[in-house]
Amino acid sequence: MFKPPFILSIAGGGSTYTPGIVKSLMVRLADFPLAEIRLYDIDGERQSVIAPVVEKVIRDHSQSIKFTVTTDPEVAFSGAHFVFAQMRVGQYKMREQDEKIPLRHGVVGQETCGPGGLAYGLRTILPMVELCDFVERYANQKAWIVNYSNPAAIVAEGVRRLRPNARVLNICDMPVAAMRNMGAILGVDRHKLEVDYFGLNHFGWFTRVLVDGEDRLPELRRHIAKFGLLTEDAAQTDPQHSDPSWVKTWRHIKPIMDHFPEFLPNPYLQYYLMPNDIVEHQNPDYTRANEVMDGREKKLFAAAAEYKQTGILPDAFHVGVHGAFIVDVACSLAFDLRQRHLVIVENKGAIANLPYDAMVEVPAYITSEGPEPVRMGAVPLFHQTLLMQQLASEQLLVEATIEGSYEKALQAFTLNRTVPTMQHAKAILDDMIEANRDYWPQLQQAWKDGE
Ligand code: G6P
Ligand code: MN
């Protein structure tokens, strides 16, 4: 293993999340010593707006850390020990399309779930593979990519198929955000919780929530039956997910558990289990992408402009579980801490009745050679079936991307639980091909009449 201090590159440097992640790194410098932070983005202009904010965050904590901002992959990754990836291919403008196109057809419009997530997958798999290749070419041989890029389930499967030996660990902050809320409800720091969980990314269930060896899920069930997975002061517990749409999402844990009280669902299951309700209450002309562009993004850009003018940086970004979690995972990888975290990992029997090679989300011990998944056993038929259908949809989408197959893309869309009929699937897919002309690989129809 390499020795600290580390060189860390952030791919997707222009993200609204970058300042929060860097702030999390700064408060953990004693645990995760850094020699250099590099920001890398293909959109140099956007990155140059965020970079001074990031530099200020660094300088408030350290004068010695070198800070580099680049659009050149060789500069970004040469000799790097860690790469935090958080790319958003097509940026929020394309997220808006992912959300609005399905809604025009009366189907859930969401960043990572349903047709929106599939479309985002078709945009992201190949750029993510390109990033793996840059890292392999330029970075330290033992470098780890810790990946937040969405749609994480599809990205993980795409990378597994195309670059099976890449040192990538795919993660998501949703389970840990749920654990933070559980901790707040139970009056216990989230680090004290040891959970069992099974599923795919944005599609899973907590089955046990241990505190000092005692399962506190019964107590959480009683709270959720009244309030969902929400504390009284939601904004304080979770500044990152405190917009009204997120508050509603946490509340939706209640109707799901009213019907199926056994396990505690990932909030994203609302899109698959109550899609009609979601569509009915969604303004098709103003979706979450608009909320984010008018909220988080605008606020950060305005703060960057103010900082440039006055030299004073207003409070404009959140430092929460999102940043803390990726630093925790990186520490465990760097120092072989074998900490137990919920991550996305090749199944290898962890969920006994899902395919051996499926990319699942389960607890794993994070070693310097990667995650060792913890056995969750066999899951009930209901959950297994939901998971298999979602897995098939996502795997077909990956195959569609690799093979350039229209049929497989249409099968992926048709199999997704949010899509009621094959006609809906085709209409949405065809609109999305149009909207994604600059991003998707060509999809060919092998069985077209006359060919
Ligand atoms: C959670 C999920 C992420 C997702 C994010 C969207 O944190 O784990 O995968 O990207 O929510 O949040 P936003 O505020 O952009 O809607
Ligand atoms: Mn996520």
Side-chain angles (χ1 to χ4, degrees):
M1 242 356 244
F2 34 77
K3 297 244 176 316
F6 304 124
I7 299 172
L8 169 84
S9 309
I10 300 184
S15 162
T16 53
Y17 288 112
T18 307
I21 286 183
V22 171
K23 175 81 185 187
S24 301
L25 286 163
M26 291 303 105
V27 297
R28 297 287 297 280
L29 275 177
D31 302 324
F32 194 73
L34 287 168
E36 182 173 355
I37 293 180
R38 299 183 189 153
L39 301 191
Y40 167 73
D41 207 303
I42 58 168
D43 183 345
E45 206 178 312
R46 183 187 170 102
Q47 181 168 254
S48 71
V49 176
I50 307 285
V53 176
V54 174
E55 186 163 26
K56 160 90 174 121
V57 172
I58 295 173
R59 291 297 163 244
D60 282 349
H61 292 81
S62 163
Q63 294 306 312
S64 62
I65 294 173
K66 192 174 166 201
F67 180 56
T68 305
V69 182
T70 184
T71 55
D72 178 345
E74 185 170 1
V75 175
F77 304 119
S78 289
H81 303 104
F82 286 90
V83 177
F84 288 0
Q86 43 162 2
M87 62 172 79
R88 182 178 287 283
V89 181
Q91 302 184 343
Y92 286 122
K93 277 283 155 217
M94 286 310 295
R95 175 175 179 178
E96 187 181 8
Q97 294 300 313
D98 294 343
E99 293 168 350
K100 289 186 177 173
I101 292 171
L103 281 168
R104 284 210 293 273
H105 298 275
V107 170
V108 168
Q110 215 278 328
E111 175 195 20
T112 65
C113 301
L118 298 173
Y120 193 11
L122 263 154
R123 287 202 302 279
T124 310
I125 292 169
L126 299 179
M128 193 62 205
V129 166
E130 184 186 50
L131 176 69
C132 293
D133 291 347
F134 286 148
V135 172
E136 196 191 345
R137 189 170 326 147
Y138 299 122
N140 184 295
Q141 285 303 296
K142 289 272 184 181
W144 274 104
I145 303 175
V146 190
N147 180 50
Y148 259 144
S149 309
N150 268 323
I154 290 171
V155 167
E157 173 65 9
V159 170
R160 183 186 73 82
R161 296 254 186 136
L162 292 170
R163 294 294 180 273
N165 298 321
R167 287 166 69 92
V168 182
L169 180 53
N170 297 283
I171 60 168
C172 167
D173 66 357
M174 202 73 258
V176 79
M179 287 166 69
R180 185 258 339 272
N181 286 16
M182 292 175 203
I185 291 164
L186 296 171
V188 178
D189 183 87
R190 73 175 167 89
H191 296 96
K192 294 265 292 178
L193 307 184
E194 185 183 295
V195 299
D196 284 351
Y197 181 99
F198 68 80
L200 309 171
N201 179 239
H202 290 186
F203 202 112
W205 291 265
F206 292 90
T207 61
R208 281 203 318 180
V209 181
L210 297 184
V211 181
D212 296 329
E214 188 196 340
D215 190 2
R216 305 284 290 273
L217 192 52
E219 201 176 325
L220 288 170
R221 256 186 219 112
R222 287 193 291 277
H223 179 97
I224 289 165
K226 291 193 196 130
F227 310 110
L229 194 59
L230 213 56
T231 48
E232 272 161 47
D233 192 348
Q236 208 161 12
T237 314
D238 183 6
Q240 188 197 329
H241 300 115
S242 63
D243 283 349
S245 55
W246 269 109
V247 169
K248 208 158 134 190
T249 297
W250 290 121
R251 279 199 209 291
H252 280 162
I253 301 283
K254 171 183 157 51
I256 300 175
M257 284 190 84
D258 284 347
H259 289 80
F260 304 112
E262 189 176 11
F263 302 144
L264 197 165
N266 187 301
Y268 281 95
L269 280 162
Q270 67 173 341
Y271 298 110
Y272 300 98
L273 297 177
M274 40 197 293
N276 294 359
D277 195 285
I278 297 291
V279 172
E280 202 177 304
H281 293 99
Q282 171 71 58
N283 177 351
D285 299 318
Y286 194 84
T287 59
R288 179 66 190 154
N290 301 109
E291 244 175 58
V292 172
M293 286 186 277
D294 293 342
R296 182 166 73 230
E297 190 177 50
K298 204 176 239 171
K299 193 171 165 199
L300 183 60
F301 281 13
E306 192 176 328
Y307 175 57
K308 200 171 163 188
Q309 275 193 343
T310 65
I312 297 163
L313 180 63
D315 184 15
F317 57 88
H318 302 306
V319 187
V321 288
H322 182 82
F325 182 55
I326 196 168
V327 178
D328 277 342
V329 168
C331 282
S332 204
L333 285 170
F335 301 109
D336 200 28
L337 301 181
R338 306 186 71 87
Q339 282 173 356
R340 182 175 164 134
H341 292 294
L342 277 172
V343 295
I344 301 157
V345 60
E346 194 169 342
N347 186 20
K348 294 187 180 155
I351 303 173
N353 50 354
L354 283 193
Y356 190 83
D357 61 1
M359 294 304 290
V360 298
E361 198 164 76
V362 288
Y365 294 101
I366 311 298
T367 80
S368 55
E369 286 306 306
E372 290 175 2
V374 180
R375 284 182 183 279
M376 292 291 108
V379 303
L381 183 60
F382 174 66
H383 306 82
Q384 183 203 15
T385 309
L386 285 169
L387 286 165
M388 283 304 298
Q389 183 175 359
Q390 177 71 3
L391 180 65
S393 170
E394 294 177 342
Q395 289 188 333
L396 282 163
L397 192 280
V398 171
E399 288 176 13
T401 309
I402 296 172
E403 297 166 22
S405 164
Y406 180 90
E407 281 84 2
K408 285 197 170 171
L410 186 57
Q411 289 175 348
F413 278 58
T414 306
L415 258 189
N416 201 280
R417 241 191 100 74
T418 58
V419 179
T421 70
M422 66 180 177
Q423 287 93 340
H424 285 84
K426 178 167 169 44
I428 295 169
L429 176 59
D430 288 348
D431 282 1
M432 283 179 154
I433 288 175
E434 193 54 30
N436 282 277
R437 267 192 319 263
D438 297 341
Y439 299 99
W440 281 9
Q442 276 271 325
L443 299 179
Q444 306 285 350
Q445 302 189 43
W447 296 97
K448 220 168 142 189
D449 274 348
E451 281 176 7

